[in-house]
Structures are given as C-alpha cells and as structure tokens.
Amino acid sequence: MRVSARVLAASILAFLPMPAAAVLPAEPTIYRLTEPELVRTFEGGATLAGHFENRRFFVERYEPGGRLRGTHAGRAYTGRWRIEGNSLCTEVAAQPIRCAWVDRWERAPLREGSQLLFAAVGGNSRFYATYLTRIPWANRSAAMSAR
C-alpha cells in the first residue's frame, strides 16, 4: 500500500503539539464597570437604547441627580437611579429596586455606540443596550423609529 506525501504530512502534523490559540477561537473578554466608571458614565447624564428580554425596545435617560426617564412598549415612565458599589440600581413606579452589573466587551473609554450588557445582581435576567450620549431626550421618537 502506497501512501501519498500529502496524507503522510497531514498525519504527522496532526500529532505535533500546537499552541492553544491556534486551535481554539479566543473567548471574548468581558469587563465589568467599576464604581468609578459607573459614576463617570451616569452622573453627568447618559442615554441608553436597547431591548429587554421580551425583545421590546426601550430608551432611558439617566439624568444628573438620580432622575430616570424612559419609554418602553410605547409608554413613558419615570423613576430614580443610583450607584451601589459596582452596580447600577433603578426604581420605577411600584416595582422593587433592581440592581445590575454593567459589562462591556472592550476596555476603551465609553463612547457613543458602545455596547453594554446588564446582568441582574442575584438573578439571571440580562439585557443589552447601546450607550447613546449624543441623542437628546427630545429626539427619542426618532431614535425609536430608526430601530
């Protein structure tokens, strides 16, 4: 039985040790925003747009002083927000206070268009949002119709 040079070379290469990076794709690194990063991001005011687990779109404005305004499923709501340690907490209407860790896939400073992942503290609820510093609250309808 005659073995071709290609088959022989492939057989030899299959048993050579290779670095893990050459074999497995790199896992994305997730960075959790720290308390100082959350303060820098939200204290001066921030606008987020995204969708909750139910796939309904929302826009939220975190105003200086802890006021929260938003729209979800075509309805406006108001509430309060605050930072507790490394989590962002919100309180809307009669709902209990909800706190979430805020994660990112890049370590660079937040900028317009940065993607954020919110993970509920003590739960398994998650949702995604985009950091929109340049969309004024008055233009929220235009932002929502573009989605």
Side-chain angles (χ1 to χ4, degrees):
M1 178 172 163
R2 188 170 180 147
V3 178
S4 74
R6 269 191 214 170
V7 172
L8 182 60
S11 299
I12 293 170
L13 286 175
F15 291 101
L16 290 177
M18 298 183 81
V23 178
L24 301 173
E27 287 288 322
T29 302
I30 296 177
Y31 300 98
R32 178 146 296 150
L33 270 62
T34 62
E35 184 175 8
E37 290 171 319
L38 289 169
V39 168
R40 275 195 309 274
T41 301
F42 292 95
E43 269 196 352
T47 302
L48 300 179
H51 60 275
F52 292 114
E53 290 178 319
N54 62 9
R55 301 270 187 219
R56 299 247 178 165
F57 187 75
F58 73 91
V59 175
E60 289 184 336
R61 173 75 182 156
Y62 296 81
E63 297 178 351
R67 185 171 179 199
L68 170 68
R69 293 192 295 161
T71 59
H72 174 250
R75 296 187 167 180
Y77 56 90
T78 60
R80 307 286 303 160
W81 68 269
R82 69 177 179 267
I83 296 166
E84 289 185 7
N86 290 342
S87 64
L88 176 69
C89 300
T90 58
E91 184 176 13
V92 176
Q95 297 178 2
I97 296 172
R98 291 191 241 176
C99 297
W101 291 301
V102 183
D103 297 331
R104 305 187 53 212
W105 286 269
E106 58 186 356
R107 198 67 173 147
L110 276 175
R111 64 186 181 284
E112 187 174 338
S114 291
Q115 298 295 307
L116 303 172
L117 168 64
F118 291 77
V121 175
N124 59 4
S125 174
R126 293 177 163 233
F127 65 91
Y128 297 90
T130 301
Y131 183 68
L132 303 172
T133 56
R134 303 283 186 247
I135 295 181
W137 182 252
N139 293 338
R140 67 188 179 279
S141 296
M144 292 180 71
S145 63
R147 298 261 178 227

